[in-house]
Amino acid sequence: MNIREATTEDFDQIWPIFHEIASAGETYAYPRDITKEQARKFWMEKPEKTYVIEDDGDIMGTYYIKTNQQGPGDHVCNCGYMVASEARGRGLATAMCEHSQERALELGYKAMQFNFVASSNEGAIRLWHKLGFTTVGRLPKAFHHPAKGYIDALVMYKWLDI
Amino acid sequence: MNIREATTEDFDQIWPIFHEIASAGETYAYPRDITKEQARKFWMEKPEKTYVIEDDGDIMGTYYIKTNQQGPGDHVCNCGYMVASEARGRGLATAMCEHSQERALELGYKAMQFNFVASSNEGAIRLWHKLGFTTVGRLPKAFHHPAKGYIDALVMYKWLDI
């Protein structure tokens, strides 16, 4: 496995991963009918940095890092991670999250925040806890899940700068 | 007092209020050195709607309303309110917050979320509680206050659609 910064050309391989996850509507706050061009803006342009994780030369996952709030909040970053369905359970999310925490410190951030974790996404929540994140907030019925209806979303947070 | 939708021309009167609050760096997550043009984008362009509150024909406060998260989160809105320093303590924030909750329901939102309330901003926190908001999250040291250093920020939330 190799993690490297994404290039513009990588988005053709990122898009199928993004599209599968966004169109399912179960984990990410993107419109389920998001277009490739909109997705490119959100994932590649708006963030400060975007990375891909390769396995045998194929892109199997991706993450972004960006400033979560400006001004008095600009020492806290936000990240989002996506793993191709065929590559799950192999530690790619863990590898990307650990990589992102190192990069965050290098970029000058002191903390990392996940703003909107669907409370049904138990695998992710378990993983973030294992990697040192704390659930610091619970937004009642803030996530409209396609099967479960209005469910809570969690805010998770980790201070990185020990 | 009269609350009405803001026009492009109103920003010349909004800017001194915005600038005083943003440059103090004590309450809002905007860069303290934000320019008028950047502020115009954040306050007038990006939100779904922007309103002003007039007192004797002068703009004494303003608020915006926008979607807080897309897709599975797009039933929750976010608002920000600013009151001119010379007009504080006269109920303008209360009037705007009540107005915004009505407008939110009319626009189809079901809940309202404040993402980043400085824990030092006790007057605002007391007011939001009085108006039915609950503190649903606490972000440790997420707000870098110019005098107090790293302080907690609160996430506040109200379900509107009874």
Side-chain angles (χ1 to χ4, degrees), chain A residues 48 66-78 104 107-111 113 157 159, chain B residues 28-33 116 141-145 150:
Chain A
E48 181 155 345
K66 64 182 172 67
T67 304
N68 200 45
Q69 297 280 359
Q70 305 176 80
D74 71 0
H75 59 291
V76 181
C77 67
N78 164 253
L107 290 165
Y109 295 112
K110 294 181 183 298
Q113 181 173 329
Y157 192 91
W159 191 262
Chain B
Y28 267 86
Y30 295 115
R32 293 178 69 180
D33 60 354
F116 199 64
K141 298 191 280 185
F143 195 101
H144 195 193
H145 190 283
Y150 292 107

PDB file of all heavy atoms in Angstrom, chain A residues 48 66-78 104 107-111 113 157 159, chain B residues 28-33 116 141-145 150:
ATOM      1  N   GLU A  48      -7.710  21.457   1.162  1.00  0.00           N
ATOM      2  CA  GLU A  48      -6.320  21.906   1.070  1.00  0.00           C
ATOM      3  C   GLU A  48      -5.466  20.873   0.329  1.00  0.00           C
ATOM      4  O   GLU A  48      -4.629  21.231  -0.494  1.00  0.00           O
ATOM      5  CB  GLU A  48      -5.770  22.137   2.481  1.00  0.00           C
ATOM      6  CG  GLU A  48      -4.353  22.628   2.463  1.00  0.00           C
ATOM      7  CD  GLU A  48      -3.988  23.409   3.710  1.00  0.00           C
ATOM      8  OE1 GLU A  48      -4.882  23.822   4.470  1.00  0.00           O
ATOM      9  OE2 GLU A  48      -2.771  23.602   3.919  1.00  0.00           O
ATOM     10  N   LYS A  66      -8.880  19.505   5.008  1.00  0.00           N
ATOM     11  CA  LYS A  66      -9.145  20.936   4.828  1.00  0.00           C
ATOM     12  C   LYS A  66      -9.365  21.606   6.183  1.00  0.00           C
ATOM     13  O   LYS A  66      -9.584  20.933   7.193  1.00  0.00           O
ATOM     14  CB  LYS A  66     -10.333  21.185   3.918  1.00  0.00           C
ATOM     15  CG  LYS A  66     -11.678  20.684   4.417  1.00  0.00           C
ATOM     16  CD  LYS A  66     -12.734  20.976   3.354  1.00  0.00           C
ATOM     17  CE  LYS A  66     -14.074  20.361   3.644  1.00  0.00           C
ATOM     18  NZ  LYS A  66     -14.774  20.923   4.809  1.00  0.00           N
ATOM     19  N   THR A  67      -9.311  22.927   6.177  1.00  0.00           N
ATOM     20  CA  THR A  67      -9.557  23.702   7.391  1.00  0.00           C
ATOM     21  C   THR A  67     -11.048  23.640   7.707  1.00  0.00           C
ATOM     22  O   THR A  67     -11.873  23.870   6.828  1.00  0.00           O
ATOM     23  CB  THR A  67      -9.112  25.157   7.163  1.00  0.00           C
ATOM     24  OG1 THR A  67      -7.734  25.141   6.758  1.00  0.00           O
ATOM     25  CG2 THR A  67      -9.248  25.975   8.438  1.00  0.00           C
ATOM     26  N   ASN A  68     -11.383  23.330   8.962  1.00  0.00           N
ATOM     27  CA  ASN A  68     -12.794  23.141   9.289  1.00  0.00           C
ATOM     28  C   ASN A  68     -13.533  24.458   9.497  1.00  0.00           C
ATOM     29  O   ASN A  68     -14.659  24.604   9.052  1.00  0.00           O
ATOM     30  CB  ASN A  68     -12.936  22.262  10.530  1.00  0.00           C
ATOM     31  CG  ASN A  68     -14.315  21.644  10.624  1.00  0.00           C
ATOM     32  OD1 ASN A  68     -14.844  21.137   9.622  1.00  0.00           O
ATOM     33  ND2 ASN A  68     -14.920  21.692  11.790  1.00  0.00           N
ATOM     34  N   GLN A  69     -12.923  25.384  10.207  1.00  0.00           N
ATOM     35  CA  GLN A  69     -13.501  26.717  10.415  1.00  0.00           C
ATOM     36  C   GLN A  69     -12.375  27.730  10.213  1.00  0.00           C
ATOM     37  O   GLN A  69     -11.232  27.450  10.545  1.00  0.00           O
ATOM     38  CB  GLN A  69     -14.050  26.871  11.849  1.00  0.00           C
ATOM     39  CG  GLN A  69     -15.193  25.936  12.194  1.00  0.00           C
ATOM     40  CD  GLN A  69     -16.541  26.406  11.671  1.00  0.00           C
ATOM     41  OE1 GLN A  69     -16.667  27.460  11.042  1.00  0.00           O
ATOM     42  NE2 GLN A  69     -17.560  25.610  11.925  1.00  0.00           N
ATOM     43  N   GLN A  70     -12.724  28.891   9.725  1.00  0.00           N
ATOM     44  CA  GLN A  70     -11.717  29.918   9.494  1.00  0.00           C
ATOM     45  C   GLN A  70     -11.408  30.696  10.777  1.00  0.00           C
ATOM     46  O   GLN A  70     -12.044  30.489  11.809  1.00  0.00           O
ATOM     47  CB  GLN A  70     -12.231  30.899   8.458  1.00  0.00           C
ATOM     48  CG  GLN A  70     -12.664  30.291   7.148  1.00  0.00           C
ATOM     49  CD  GLN A  70     -13.234  31.363   6.258  1.00  0.00           C
ATOM     50  OE1 GLN A  70     -12.506  32.113   5.624  1.00  0.00           O
ATOM     51  NE2 GLN A  70     -14.545  31.460   6.225  1.00  0.00           N
ATOM     52  N   GLY A  71     -10.495  31.629  10.643  1.00  0.00           N
ATOM     53  CA  GLY A  71     -10.211  32.575  11.733  1.00  0.00           C
ATOM     54  C   GLY A  71      -9.891  31.857  13.031  1.00  0.00           C
ATOM     55  O   GLY A  71      -8.967  31.041  13.076  1.00  0.00           O
ATOM     56  N   PRO A  72     -10.674  32.131  14.091  1.00  0.00           N
ATOM     57  CA  PRO A  72     -10.382  31.544  15.415  1.00  0.00           C
ATOM     58  C   PRO A  72     -10.507  30.014  15.448  1.00  0.00           C
ATOM     59  O   PRO A  72     -10.182  29.405  16.460  1.00  0.00           O
ATOM     60  CB  PRO A  72     -11.452  32.178  16.319  1.00  0.00           C
ATOM     61  CG  PRO A  72     -11.908  33.403  15.609  1.00  0.00           C
ATOM     62  CD  PRO A  72     -11.780  33.102  14.148  1.00  0.00           C
ATOM     63  N   GLY A  73     -10.980  29.406  14.343  1.00  0.00           N
ATOM     64  CA  GLY A  73     -11.096  27.945  14.299  1.00  0.00           C
ATOM     65  C   GLY A  73     -10.126  27.297  13.336  1.00  0.00           C
ATOM     66  O   GLY A  73     -10.189  26.085  13.113  1.00  0.00           O
ATOM     67  N   ASP A  74      -9.188  28.077  12.792  1.00  0.00           N
ATOM     68  CA  ASP A  74      -8.407  27.536  11.676  1.00  0.00           C
ATOM     69  C   ASP A  74      -7.252  26.634  12.084  1.00  0.00           C
ATOM     70  O   ASP A  74      -6.464  26.210  11.244  1.00  0.00           O
ATOM     71  CB  ASP A  74      -7.949  28.650  10.726  1.00  0.00           C
ATOM     72  CG  ASP A  74      -6.875  29.539  11.325  1.00  0.00           C
ATOM     73  OD1 ASP A  74      -6.465  29.307  12.480  1.00  0.00           O
ATOM     74  OD2 ASP A  74      -6.445  30.482  10.635  1.00  0.00           O
ATOM     75  N   HIS A  75      -7.160  26.303  13.374  1.00  0.00           N
ATOM     76  CA  HIS A  75      -6.176  25.305  13.817  1.00  0.00           C
ATOM     77  C   HIS A  75      -6.785  23.901  13.856  1.00  0.00           C
ATOM     78  O   HIS A  75      -6.111  22.939  14.219  1.00  0.00           O
ATOM     79  CB  HIS A  75      -5.630  25.675  15.211  1.00  0.00           C
ATOM     80  CG  HIS A  75      -6.696  25.763  16.256  1.00  0.00           C
ATOM     81  ND1 HIS A  75      -7.648  26.763  16.263  1.00  0.00           N
ATOM     82  CD2 HIS A  75      -6.993  24.971  17.312  1.00  0.00           C
ATOM     83  CE1 HIS A  75      -8.469  26.586  17.286  1.00  0.00           C
ATOM     84  NE2 HIS A  75      -8.097  25.497  17.936  1.00  0.00           N
ATOM     85  N   VAL A  76      -8.046  23.770  13.475  1.00  0.00           N
ATOM     86  CA  VAL A  76      -8.722  22.465  13.459  1.00  0.00           C
ATOM     87  C   VAL A  76      -9.018  22.092  12.004  1.00  0.00           C
ATOM     88  O   VAL A  76      -9.604  22.889  11.266  1.00  0.00           O
ATOM     89  CB  VAL A  76     -10.043  22.508  14.261  1.00  0.00           C
ATOM     90  CG1 VAL A  76     -10.718  21.141  14.266  1.00  0.00           C
ATOM     91  CG2 VAL A  76      -9.792  22.993  15.691  1.00  0.00           C
ATOM     92  N   CYS A  77      -8.591  20.893  11.621  1.00  0.00           N
ATOM     93  CA  CYS A  77      -8.868  20.452  10.251  1.00  0.00           C
ATOM     94  C   CYS A  77     -10.013  19.462  10.235  1.00  0.00           C
ATOM     95  O   CYS A  77     -10.460  18.969  11.276  1.00  0.00           O
ATOM     96  CB  CYS A  77      -7.620  19.849   9.615  1.00  0.00           C
ATOM     97  SG  CYS A  77      -7.104  18.298  10.374  1.00  0.00           S
ATOM     98  N   ASN A  78     -10.487  19.205   9.038  1.00  0.00           N
ATOM     99  CA  ASN A  78     -11.522  18.208   8.805  1.00  0.00           C
ATOM    100  C   ASN A  78     -11.023  17.291   7.693  1.00  0.00           C
ATOM    101  O   ASN A  78     -10.378  17.753   6.753  1.00  0.00           O
ATOM    102  CB  ASN A  78     -12.820  18.923   8.362  1.00  0.00           C
ATOM    103  CG  ASN A  78     -13.821  17.977   7.722  1.00  0.00           C
ATOM    104  OD1 ASN A  78     -14.036  17.998   6.508  1.00  0.00           O
ATOM    105  ND2 ASN A  78     -14.428  17.134   8.521  1.00  0.00           N
ATOM    106  N   ALA A 104      -1.690  16.444   8.956  1.00  0.00           N
ATOM    107  CA  ALA A 104      -2.349  17.571   9.628  1.00  0.00           C
ATOM    108  C   ALA A 104      -1.356  18.335  10.497  1.00  0.00           C
ATOM    109  O   ALA A 104      -1.289  19.567  10.452  1.00  0.00           O
ATOM    110  CB  ALA A 104      -3.519  17.070  10.466  1.00  0.00           C
ATOM    111  N   LEU A 107       1.006  20.262   8.409  1.00  0.00           N
ATOM    112  CA  LEU A 107       0.364  21.445   7.815  1.00  0.00           C
ATOM    113  C   LEU A 107       0.050  22.511   8.865  1.00  0.00           C
ATOM    114  O   LEU A 107      -0.465  23.574   8.536  1.00  0.00           O
ATOM    115  CB  LEU A 107      -0.928  21.034   7.088  1.00  0.00           C
ATOM    116  CG  LEU A 107      -0.748  20.218   5.799  1.00  0.00           C
ATOM    117  CD1 LEU A 107      -2.066  19.566   5.379  1.00  0.00           C
ATOM    118  CD2 LEU A 107      -0.214  21.102   4.666  1.00  0.00           C
ATOM    119  N   GLY A 108       0.345  22.195  10.140  1.00  0.00           N
ATOM    120  CA  GLY A 108       0.180  23.205  11.177  1.00  0.00           C
ATOM    121  C   GLY A 108      -1.115  23.121  11.967  1.00  0.00           C
ATOM    122  O   GLY A 108      -1.386  23.972  12.812  1.00  0.00           O
ATOM    123  N   TYR A 109      -1.929  22.104  11.686  1.00  0.00           N
ATOM    124  CA  TYR A 109      -3.168  21.952  12.455  1.00  0.00           C
ATOM    125  C   TYR A 109      -2.871  21.351  13.829  1.00  0.00           C
ATOM    126  O   TYR A 109      -1.891  20.627  14.009  1.00  0.00           O
ATOM    127  CB  TYR A 109      -4.147  21.032  11.710  1.00  0.00           C
ATOM    128  CG  TYR A 109      -4.645  21.588  10.407  1.00  0.00           C
ATOM    129  CD1 TYR A 109      -4.276  21.007   9.190  1.00  0.00           C
ATOM    130  CD2 TYR A 109      -5.483  22.694  10.374  1.00  0.00           C
ATOM    131  CE1 TYR A 109      -4.731  21.509   7.976  1.00  0.00           C
ATOM    132  CE2 TYR A 109      -5.942  23.211   9.167  1.00  0.00           C
ATOM    133  CZ  TYR A 109      -5.566  22.609   7.977  1.00  0.00           C
ATOM    134  OH  TYR A 109      -6.022  23.116   6.776  1.00  0.00           O
ATOM    135  N   LYS A 110      -3.768  21.623  14.781  1.00  0.00           N
ATOM    136  CA  LYS A 110      -3.599  21.102  16.131  1.00  0.00           C
ATOM    137  C   LYS A 110      -4.657  20.063  16.493  1.00  0.00           C
ATOM    138  O   LYS A 110      -4.503  19.326  17.477  1.00  0.00           O
ATOM    139  CB  LYS A 110      -3.680  22.251  17.145  1.00  0.00           C
ATOM    140  CG  LYS A 110      -2.520  23.239  17.003  1.00  0.00           C
ATOM    141  CD  LYS A 110      -2.636  24.339  18.036  1.00  0.00           C
ATOM    142  CE  LYS A 110      -1.535  25.377  17.867  1.00  0.00           C
ATOM    143  NZ  LYS A 110      -0.180  24.836  18.046  1.00  0.00           N
ATOM    144  N   ALA A 111      -5.738  20.017  15.738  1.00  0.00           N
ATOM    145  CA  ALA A 111      -6.816  19.080  16.048  1.00  0.00           C
ATOM    146  C   ALA A 111      -7.522  18.689  14.759  1.00  0.00           C
ATOM    147  O   ALA A 111      -7.357  19.339  13.715  1.00  0.00           O
ATOM    148  CB  ALA A 111      -7.816  19.708  17.027  1.00  0.00           C
ATOM    149  N   GLN A 113     -11.427  17.264  13.273  1.00  0.00           N
ATOM    150  CA  GLN A 113     -12.843  17.130  13.612  1.00  0.00           C
ATOM    151  C   GLN A 113     -13.603  16.465  12.469  1.00  0.00           C
ATOM    152  O   GLN A 113     -13.409  16.806  11.312  1.00  0.00           O
ATOM    153  CB  GLN A 113     -13.423  18.529  13.890  1.00  0.00           C
ATOM    154  CG  GLN A 113     -14.887  18.510  14.287  1.00  0.00           C
ATOM    155  CD  GLN A 113     -15.382  19.888  14.710  1.00  0.00           C
ATOM    156  OE1 GLN A 113     -14.600  20.684  15.247  1.00  0.00           O
ATOM    157  NE2 GLN A 113     -16.643  20.173  14.474  1.00  0.00           N
ATOM    158  N   TYR A 157     -13.826  14.152  17.422  1.00  0.00           N
ATOM    159  CA  TYR A 157     -12.770  15.166  17.568  1.00  0.00           C
ATOM    160  C   TYR A 157     -11.530  14.529  18.191  1.00  0.00           C
ATOM    161  O   TYR A 157     -11.636  13.656  19.059  1.00  0.00           O
ATOM    162  CB  TYR A 157     -13.317  16.250  18.503  1.00  0.00           C
ATOM    163  CG  TYR A 157     -12.530  17.534  18.594  1.00  0.00           C
ATOM    164  CD1 TYR A 157     -12.813  18.597  17.743  1.00  0.00           C
ATOM    165  CD2 TYR A 157     -11.543  17.703  19.559  1.00  0.00           C
ATOM    166  CE1 TYR A 157     -12.124  19.796  17.854  1.00  0.00           C
ATOM    167  CE2 TYR A 157     -10.849  18.893  19.666  1.00  0.00           C
ATOM    168  CZ  TYR A 157     -11.148  19.950  18.811  1.00  0.00           C
ATOM    169  OH  TYR A 157     -10.475  21.128  18.922  1.00  0.00           O
ATOM    170  N   TRP A 159      -7.594  15.965  19.549  1.00  0.00           N
ATOM    171  CA  TRP A 159      -6.513  16.936  19.672  1.00  0.00           C
ATOM    172  C   TRP A 159      -5.229  16.214  19.299  1.00  0.00           C
ATOM    173  O   TRP A 159      -4.895  15.176  19.867  1.00  0.00           O
ATOM    174  CB  TRP A 159      -6.445  17.494  21.094  1.00  0.00           C
ATOM    175  CG  TRP A 159      -5.540  18.687  21.214  1.00  0.00           C
ATOM    176  CD1 TRP A 159      -4.245  18.675  21.642  1.00  0.00           C
ATOM    177  CD2 TRP A 159      -5.851  20.044  20.897  1.00  0.00           C
ATOM    178  NE1 TRP A 159      -3.738  19.956  21.601  1.00  0.00           N
ATOM    179  CE2 TRP A 159      -4.704  20.814  21.155  1.00  0.00           C
ATOM    180  CE3 TRP A 159      -6.999  20.684  20.410  1.00  0.00           C
ATOM    181  CZ2 TRP A 159      -4.667  22.197  20.948  1.00  0.00           C
ATOM    182  CZ3 TRP A 159      -6.953  22.060  20.201  1.00  0.00           C
ATOM    183  CH2 TRP A 159      -5.800  22.803  20.469  1.00  0.00           C
TER     184      TRP A 159
ATOM    185  N   TYR B  28     -16.949  34.963  15.926  1.00  0.00           N
ATOM    186  CA  TYR B  28     -17.208  34.349  14.623  1.00  0.00           C
ATOM    187  C   TYR B  28     -15.959  33.731  14.008  1.00  0.00           C
ATOM    188  O   TYR B  28     -14.868  34.258  14.180  1.00  0.00           O
ATOM    189  CB  TYR B  28     -17.787  35.379  13.648  1.00  0.00           C
ATOM    190  CG  TYR B  28     -19.300  35.369  13.649  1.00  0.00           C
ATOM    191  CD1 TYR B  28     -20.007  36.123  14.571  1.00  0.00           C
ATOM    192  CD2 TYR B  28     -19.991  34.574  12.754  1.00  0.00           C
ATOM    193  CE1 TYR B  28     -21.401  36.092  14.583  1.00  0.00           C
ATOM    194  CE2 TYR B  28     -21.379  34.532  12.761  1.00  0.00           C
ATOM    195  CZ  TYR B  28     -22.073  35.288  13.668  1.00  0.00           C
ATOM    196  OH  TYR B  28     -23.433  35.251  13.694  1.00  0.00           O
ATOM    197  N   ALA B  29     -16.168  32.647  13.265  1.00  0.00           N
ATOM    198  CA  ALA B  29     -15.061  31.963  12.601  1.00  0.00           C
ATOM    199  C   ALA B  29     -14.783  32.583  11.235  1.00  0.00           C
ATOM    200  O   ALA B  29     -14.875  31.927  10.195  1.00  0.00           O
ATOM    201  CB  ALA B  29     -15.384  30.476  12.478  1.00  0.00           C
ATOM    202  N   TYR B  30     -14.481  33.865  11.258  1.00  0.00           N
ATOM    203  CA  TYR B  30     -13.997  34.536  10.056  1.00  0.00           C
ATOM    204  C   TYR B  30     -12.579  35.027  10.343  1.00  0.00           C
ATOM    205  O   TYR B  30     -12.265  35.350  11.498  1.00  0.00           O
ATOM    206  CB  TYR B  30     -14.876  35.737   9.698  1.00  0.00           C
ATOM    207  CG  TYR B  30     -16.294  35.370   9.318  1.00  0.00           C
ATOM    208  CD1 TYR B  30     -17.369  35.772  10.101  1.00  0.00           C
ATOM    209  CD2 TYR B  30     -16.549  34.629   8.168  1.00  0.00           C
ATOM    210  CE1 TYR B  30     -18.673  35.436   9.759  1.00  0.00           C
ATOM    211  CE2 TYR B  30     -17.851  34.286   7.821  1.00  0.00           C
ATOM    212  CZ  TYR B  30     -18.908  34.689   8.618  1.00  0.00           C
ATOM    213  OH  TYR B  30     -20.184  34.351   8.288  1.00  0.00           O
ATOM    214  N   PRO B  31     -11.750  35.131   9.300  1.00  0.00           N
ATOM    215  CA  PRO B  31     -10.426  35.708   9.505  1.00  0.00           C
ATOM    216  C   PRO B  31     -10.588  37.136  10.033  1.00  0.00           C
ATOM    217  O   PRO B  31     -11.460  37.880   9.557  1.00  0.00           O
ATOM    218  CB  PRO B  31      -9.818  35.724   8.100  1.00  0.00           C
ATOM    219  CG  PRO B  31     -10.602  34.734   7.302  1.00  0.00           C
ATOM    220  CD  PRO B  31     -11.971  34.719   7.897  1.00  0.00           C
ATOM    221  N   ARG B  32      -9.762  37.500  11.002  1.00  0.00           N
ATOM    222  CA  ARG B  32      -9.900  38.838  11.593  1.00  0.00           C
ATOM    223  C   ARG B  32      -9.598  39.932  10.571  1.00  0.00           C
ATOM    224  O   ARG B  32     -10.091  41.043  10.686  1.00  0.00           O
ATOM    225  CB  ARG B  32      -8.984  38.975  12.818  1.00  0.00           C
ATOM    226  CG  ARG B  32      -9.456  38.060  13.960  1.00  0.00           C
ATOM    227  CD  ARG B  32      -8.556  38.135  15.168  1.00  0.00           C
ATOM    228  NE  ARG B  32      -8.663  39.419  15.837  1.00  0.00           N
ATOM    229  CZ  ARG B  32      -7.979  39.735  16.917  1.00  0.00           C
ATOM    230  NH1 ARG B  32      -7.119  38.857  17.434  1.00  0.00           N
ATOM    231  NH2 ARG B  32      -8.121  40.912  17.477  1.00  0.00           N
ATOM    232  N   ASP B  33      -8.781  39.600   9.549  1.00  0.00           N
ATOM    233  CA  ASP B  33      -8.429  40.602   8.534  1.00  0.00           C
ATOM    234  C   ASP B  33      -9.248  40.416   7.256  1.00  0.00           C
ATOM    235  O   ASP B  33      -8.815  40.775   6.170  1.00  0.00           O
ATOM    236  CB  ASP B  33      -6.932  40.510   8.220  1.00  0.00           C
ATOM    237  CG  ASP B  33      -6.532  39.136   7.693  1.00  0.00           C
ATOM    238  OD1 ASP B  33      -7.397  38.209   7.686  1.00  0.00           O
ATOM    239  OD2 ASP B  33      -5.363  38.971   7.293  1.00  0.00           O
ATOM    240  N   PHE B 116     -20.540  26.514  15.873  1.00  0.00           N
ATOM    241  CA  PHE B 116     -19.265  26.966  16.423  1.00  0.00           C
ATOM    242  C   PHE B 116     -19.485  28.180  17.315  1.00  0.00           C
ATOM    243  O   PHE B 116     -19.099  29.299  16.979  1.00  0.00           O
ATOM    244  CB  PHE B 116     -18.357  27.292  15.226  1.00  0.00           C
ATOM    245  CG  PHE B 116     -16.897  27.337  15.529  1.00  0.00           C
ATOM    246  CD1 PHE B 116     -16.220  26.206  15.952  1.00  0.00           C
ATOM    247  CD2 PHE B 116     -16.182  28.521  15.383  1.00  0.00           C
ATOM    248  CE1 PHE B 116     -14.864  26.244  16.217  1.00  0.00           C
ATOM    249  CE2 PHE B 116     -14.821  28.565  15.651  1.00  0.00           C
ATOM    250  CZ  PHE B 116     -14.167  27.416  16.067  1.00  0.00           C
ATOM    251  N   LYS B 141     -11.125  23.138  22.994  1.00  0.00           N
ATOM    252  CA  LYS B 141     -10.070  24.051  22.536  1.00  0.00           C
ATOM    253  C   LYS B 141     -10.156  24.372  21.035  1.00  0.00           C
ATOM    254  O   LYS B 141      -9.159  24.648  20.388  1.00  0.00           O
ATOM    255  CB  LYS B 141      -8.679  23.486  22.853  1.00  0.00           C
ATOM    256  CG  LYS B 141      -8.422  23.290  24.343  1.00  0.00           C
ATOM    257  CD  LYS B 141      -6.965  22.995  24.648  1.00  0.00           C
ATOM    258  CE  LYS B 141      -6.609  21.539  24.391  1.00  0.00           C
ATOM    259  NZ  LYS B 141      -5.240  21.189  24.789  1.00  0.00           N
ATOM    260  N   ALA B 142     -11.373  24.332  20.497  1.00  0.00           N
ATOM    261  CA  ALA B 142     -11.536  24.535  19.051  1.00  0.00           C
ATOM    262  C   ALA B 142     -11.590  26.011  18.663  1.00  0.00           C
ATOM    263  O   ALA B 142     -11.487  26.344  17.483  1.00  0.00           O
ATOM    264  CB  ALA B 142     -12.808  23.833  18.566  1.00  0.00           C
ATOM    265  N   PHE B 143     -11.754  26.899  19.650  1.00  0.00           N
ATOM    266  CA  PHE B 143     -11.868  28.334  19.365  1.00  0.00           C
ATOM    267  C   PHE B 143     -10.661  29.063  19.948  1.00  0.00           C
ATOM    268  O   PHE B 143     -10.435  29.040  21.159  1.00  0.00           O
ATOM    269  CB  PHE B 143     -13.165  28.887  19.977  1.00  0.00           C
ATOM    270  CG  PHE B 143     -13.554  30.241  19.439  1.00  0.00           C
ATOM    271  CD1 PHE B 143     -14.543  30.357  18.475  1.00  0.00           C
ATOM    272  CD2 PHE B 143     -12.918  31.398  19.875  1.00  0.00           C
ATOM    273  CE1 PHE B 143     -14.901  31.601  17.962  1.00  0.00           C
ATOM    274  CE2 PHE B 143     -13.262  32.638  19.365  1.00  0.00           C
ATOM    275  CZ  PHE B 143     -14.257  32.747  18.410  1.00  0.00           C
ATOM    276  N   HIS B 144      -9.907  29.704  19.074  1.00  0.00           N
ATOM    277  CA  HIS B 144      -8.722  30.443  19.519  1.00  0.00           C
ATOM    278  C   HIS B 144      -9.109  31.901  19.782  1.00  0.00           C
ATOM    279  O   HIS B 144      -9.158  32.718  18.865  1.00  0.00           O
ATOM    280  CB  HIS B 144      -7.622  30.345  18.471  1.00  0.00           C
ATOM    281  CG  HIS B 144      -6.288  30.754  19.001  1.00  0.00           C
ATOM    282  ND1 HIS B 144      -5.199  31.005  18.202  1.00  0.00           N
ATOM    283  CD2 HIS B 144      -5.854  30.959  20.281  1.00  0.00           C
ATOM    284  CE1 HIS B 144      -4.170  31.351  18.956  1.00  0.00           C
ATOM    285  NE2 HIS B 144      -4.540  31.337  20.210  1.00  0.00           N
ATOM    286  N   HIS B 145      -9.370  32.181  21.048  1.00  0.00           N
ATOM    287  CA  HIS B 145      -9.841  33.509  21.453  1.00  0.00           C
ATOM    288  C   HIS B 145      -8.645  34.449  21.609  1.00  0.00           C
ATOM    289  O   HIS B 145      -7.618  34.049  22.172  1.00  0.00           O
ATOM    290  CB  HIS B 145     -10.603  33.373  22.781  1.00  0.00           C
ATOM    291  CG  HIS B 145     -11.333  34.602  23.208  1.00  0.00           C
ATOM    292  ND1 HIS B 145     -10.701  35.692  23.761  1.00  0.00           N
ATOM    293  CD2 HIS B 145     -12.650  34.914  23.158  1.00  0.00           C
ATOM    294  CE1 HIS B 145     -11.596  36.611  24.044  1.00  0.00           C
ATOM    295  NE2 HIS B 145     -12.789  36.165  23.687  1.00  0.00           N
ATOM    296  N   TYR B 150      -6.946  29.155  23.716  1.00  0.00           N
ATOM    297  CA  TYR B 150      -7.780  28.084  23.158  1.00  0.00           C
ATOM    298  C   TYR B 150      -8.906  27.741  24.119  1.00  0.00           C
ATOM    299  O   TYR B 150      -8.657  27.227  25.219  1.00  0.00           O
ATOM    300  CB  TYR B 150      -6.938  26.840  22.888  1.00  0.00           C
ATOM    301  CG  TYR B 150      -5.948  27.038  21.760  1.00  0.00           C
ATOM    302  CD1 TYR B 150      -4.586  27.179  22.011  1.00  0.00           C
ATOM    303  CD2 TYR B 150      -6.388  27.113  20.440  1.00  0.00           C
ATOM    304  CE1 TYR B 150      -3.684  27.386  20.974  1.00  0.00           C
ATOM    305  CE2 TYR B 150      -5.494  27.314  19.394  1.00  0.00           C
ATOM    306  CZ  TYR B 150      -4.149  27.455  19.674  1.00  0.00           C
ATOM    307  OH  TYR B 150      -3.262  27.660  18.636  1.00  0.00           O
TER     308      TYR B 150
END
